[in-house]
Amino acid sequence: MIALADVVATSAEVAATRSRKAKVAALAGLLSRVRSADPLEVRVVTAYLAGSLLQRRTGLGWRSLQSLPVPATAPSLDVVEVHAALDRIAALAGAGSQAARAAAVTELFGAAIADEQQWLRGLVTGEVRQGALDSLVQEGLAAAGDVPLAAVRRAAMMAGSTVAIAQAALCGGVDALATFRLEVGRPVLPMLASSAASVEAAMAGVGDRAVAIDTKLDGIRVQVHRRGDDVLVATRSLDDVTARLPEVVEVVRALPATDLVLDGEVLALGPDGRPRPFQETSSRTASADGVALTPFFFDLLHVDGRDLVDSPGHERLAALDALVPRAHLVRRLVTADVDEAETFAAGALELGQEGVVVKDLDAPYAAGRRGAAWVKVKPVHTLDLVVLAVERGSGRRRGTLSDIHLGARDGDGFVMLGKTFKGMTDEMLAWQTERFRELQMVDDGHVVTVRPEQVVEIAFDGVQRSTRYPGGVALRFARVVRYRDDKPATEADTLATVRDHLGS
């Protein structure tokens, strides 16, 4: 049985080095010890090394964990014990649950030594800062199981998580990993796009070949699975939102196929066919009430027994066009001519959309990966950053949490780039005041430091060098475009990406 102390020690070892090779070696060392363990233990250890829980919710937060009991003097907890305790806490509900939860926290944390207490609190609140992201744990699994990293990554993509394939990687080898294929009804991690400053730059990556120029919609990414009359609609984070999007279910049920997997977006449209504000679309994916949403699809991963994930883009698009009516297809141009592509991109902007995505027609669908096969081009510079802190408002904003401190990912943490209140509506101020109180860690009376979880899309006019902030750069005229509840902090832009905009 793996002791919690062993996981904590490995986490500390990973955090103590900047060497990726050393991090992977530390992870592999512990993972190799669970090769013959119970499947539950394998799943728990894998999740904990990635800094996550198997429970989606526990009912615990920073406030409930601010005051901890006196730590134990010797380690005694194992990881399965901890998992079972958190399961019991997560199940508490109804009258008396608050007191029962506090008692359960005292029992669990009272059995932990000081280092275990601090690490467990970070695990429960999503604040384990060790640099062992999911991709590193995949490398650790590959090393511990002596299997190719590519096989581990592909299996994890198809299964929708690294935890789901850990046992196969450690004990089953390549053949066991190969059993994880695209399965209708089980969402896979979506393919992601890199960025370019212009259509010409995006097209340069494929040489003189024709590319697909897709309109980049200002909506919410969805993946839709259908088997017979059963339809599943999942977000980019693989959350099931089927019940909230009946109009999407209706459209997909009407398609001339029995089994299929589609990739696309949903958005709210006005009477003129132009997109409504993103917040209206976002609010509908959180509730079945509100404005109607229209689905638009841009890729097809499976149709009636035929997997298309490994097929080139032009084959997937041909199958998509044969299946989905034009009214529910993303507008697309196939061309090798830069001028023609730029005219199309300008037209997309005139229709109120975000820009375009340039796609290599020879590339397969790289689930869960961001690479050069898909490149997004947006005319306004935007970054997805993380809110690190927020300041109390003054004047007419008194009583709200107003100016937000912006951070980019950098190694194991985040680096501040500046702050802004520009672009915020009254509705946004009211929403973020409530939201950041939920994420509050420290309030000094002026600045409220928050857990770095909320992603915000920021428009800016350029990046300049600055000695004021530790990253050495600052954003010029930063303004809020929208909050991104569909994107986790681990997918926020990096400091390196920000620096790419120096001088822009």
Side-chain angles (χ1 to χ4, degrees), residues 196-220:
S198 68
V199 171
E200 182 178 11
M203 293 179 69
V206 298
D208 296 329
R209 290 187 287 111
V211 295
I213 314 289
D214 277 8
T215 301
K216 189 178 190 311
L217 304 182
D218 190 16
I220 294 288

Side-chain angles (χ1 to χ4, degrees), residues 130-144:
Q130 61 188 21
L133 299 176
D134 209 44
S135 60
L136 276 174
V137 175
Q138 289 175 4
E139 292 185 46
L141 285 168

Side-chain angles (χ1 to χ4, degrees), residues 242 317 417:
T242 310
L317 293 182
L417 303 173

Side-chain angles (χ1 to χ4, degrees), residues 5 29 70 78 80 82 87 107 110-111 217 246 306 320 322 378 388 438 478:
V70 175
D78 64 62
V80 174
V82 174
D87 258 354
E107 181 181 0
L217 304 182
R306 181 187 173 199
L320 178 71
K378 296 194 288 187
L388 305 180
E438 295 173 354

Side-chain angles (χ1 to χ4, degrees), residues 257-465:
T258 302
D259 292 356
L260 55 82
V261 179
L262 291 157
D263 195 356
E265 296 218 3
V266 292
L267 70 163
L269 299 175
D272 58 357
R274 296 173 66 85
R276 300 287 298 162
F278 176 79
Q279 285 72 20
E280 294 186 21
T281 296
S282 180
S283 66
R284 257 306 311 279
T285 59
S287 168
D289 300 323
V291 296
L293 298 183
T294 303
F296 293 91
F297 299 108
F298 52 73
D299 218 321
L300 180 64
L301 281 62
H302 178 95
V303 59
D304 287 341
R306 181 187 173 199
D307 282 346
L308 297 168
V309 172
D310 294 322
S311 300
H314 63 84
E315 288 186 17
R316 302 198 309 275
L317 293 182
L320 178 71
D321 291 347
L323 177 69
V324 178
R326 183 180 296 273
H328 292 290
L329 288 173
V330 167
R331 289 182 66 249
R332 181 195 331 130
L333 170 71
V334 175
T335 184
D337 185 275
V338 173
D339 291 338
E340 191 177 10
E342 289 180 339
T343 299
F344 180 85
L349 296 175
E350 290 175 4
L351 292 172
Q353 303 297 354
E354 284 191 311
V356 294
V357 182
V358 178
K359 298 181 177 180
D360 184 345
L361 290 170
D362 289 341
Y365 188 94
R369 303 298 299 279
R370 189 189 304 277
W374 287 9
V375 184
K376 59 187 175 184
V377 182
K378 296 194 288 187
V380 176
H381 295 309
T382 64
L383 292 165
D384 289 328
L385 302 174
V386 175
V387 179
L388 305 180
V390 59
E391 298 178 6
R392 292 176 179 272
S394 59
R396 81 172 192 88
R397 297 190 179 210
R398 184 178 298 277
T400 68
L401 295 180
S402 178
D403 301 36
I404 55 176
H405 294 201
L406 304 168
R409 283 194 298 123
D410 183 35
D412 301 344
F414 299 90
V415 173
M416 186 176 173
L417 303 173
K419 55 186 180 180
T420 189
F421 64 87
K422 296 183 183 300
M424 295 178 184
T425 63
D426 289 342
E427 292 79 7
M428 193 177 291
L429 276 170
W431 178 87
Q432 72 178 37
T433 298
E434 181 177 350
R435 169 63 170 159
F436 294 131
R437 282 302 181 194
E438 295 173 354
L439 299 179
Q440 175 180 324
M441 293 170 58
V442 179
D443 183 351
D444 69 3
H446 176 57
V447 176
V448 177
T449 303
V450 300
R451 301 199 305 274
E453 296 178 8
Q454 181 62 55
V455 176
V456 59
E457 184 176 355
I458 296 294
F460 60 100
D461 289 357
V463 174
Q464 60 192 18
R465 299 190 185 280

Side-chain angles (χ1 to χ4, degrees), residues 2-309:
I2 298 298
L4 178 64
D6 292 334
V7 176
V8 175
T10 300
S11 179
E13 187 177 351
V14 170
T17 178
R18 296 187 66 86
S19 165
R20 189 177 188 91
K21 184 177 180 180
K23 289 178 186 287
V24 170
L27 295 169
L30 183 58
L31 287 167
S32 64
R33 291 174 52 194
V34 295
R35 290 185 63 174
S36 58
D38 177 80
L40 175 60
E41 187 173 20
V42 174
R43 294 174 67 241
V44 173
V45 170
T46 303
Y48 285 10
L49 288 178
S52 63
L53 296 171
L54 293 183
Q55 295 84 6
R56 291 186 65 84
R57 293 179 178 84
T58 61
L60 301 177
W62 271 99
R63 290 183 181 179
S64 57
L65 298 177
Q66 279 183 330
S67 180
L68 297 178
V70 175
T73 57
S76 63
L77 291 170
D78 64 62
V79 294
V80 174
E81 264 185 292
V82 174
H83 170 74
L86 291 172
D87 258 354
R88 291 191 293 271
I89 291 171
L92 294 172
S97 62
Q98 187 171 351
R101 187 174 294 110
V105 166
T106 298
E107 181 181 0
L108 173 60
F109 281 80
I113 63 174
D115 287 350
E116 292 173 336
Q117 280 193 352
Q118 297 307 313
W119 188 87
L120 262 181
R121 178 160 57 185
L123 180 71
V124 171
T125 58
E127 281 295 295
V128 173
R129 295 295 173 201
Q130 61 188 21
L133 299 176
D134 209 44
S135 60
L136 276 174
V137 175
Q138 289 175 4
E139 292 185 46
L141 285 168
D146 194 23
V147 289
L149 177 58
V152 173
R153 283 178 172 164
R154 181 177 177 81
M157 292 169 195
M158 294 305 172
S161 78
T162 300
V163 169
I165 59 91
Q167 183 83 14
L170 293 172
C171 308
V174 174
D175 290 343
L177 291 171
T179 63
F180 291 93
R181 301 185 180 91
L182 180 66
E183 181 180 314
V184 178
R186 184 177 67 190
V188 301
L189 299 174
M191 185 169 177
L192 305 174
S194 55
S195 300
S198 68
V199 171
E200 182 178 11
M203 293 179 69
V206 298
D208 296 329
R209 290 187 287 111
V211 295
I213 314 289
D214 277 8
T215 301
K216 189 178 190 311
L217 304 182
D218 190 16
I220 294 288
R221 183 86 173 264
V222 292
Q223 186 180 128
V224 186
H225 292 239
R226 174 186 170 189
R227 185 181 293 282
D229 285 335
D230 294 332
V231 176
L232 168 70
V233 185
T235 63
R236 63 181 290 156
S237 57
L238 309 187
D239 293 320
D240 184 348
V241 292
T242 310
R244 304 172 196 167
L245 300 176
E247 54 268 74
V248 177
V249 174
E250 182 180 358
V251 167
V252 173
R253 278 182 178 161
L255 298 177
T258 302
D259 292 356
L260 55 82
V261 179
L262 291 157
D263 195 356
E265 296 218 3
V266 292
L267 70 163
L269 299 175
D272 58 357
R274 296 173 66 85
R276 300 287 298 162
F278 176 79
Q279 285 72 20
E280 294 186 21
T281 296
S282 180
S283 66
R284 257 306 311 279
T285 59
S287 168
D289 300 323
V291 296
L293 298 183
T294 303
F296 293 91
F297 299 108
F298 52 73
D299 218 321
L300 180 64
L301 281 62
H302 178 95
V303 59
D304 287 341
R306 181 187 173 199
D307 282 346
L308 297 168
V309 172

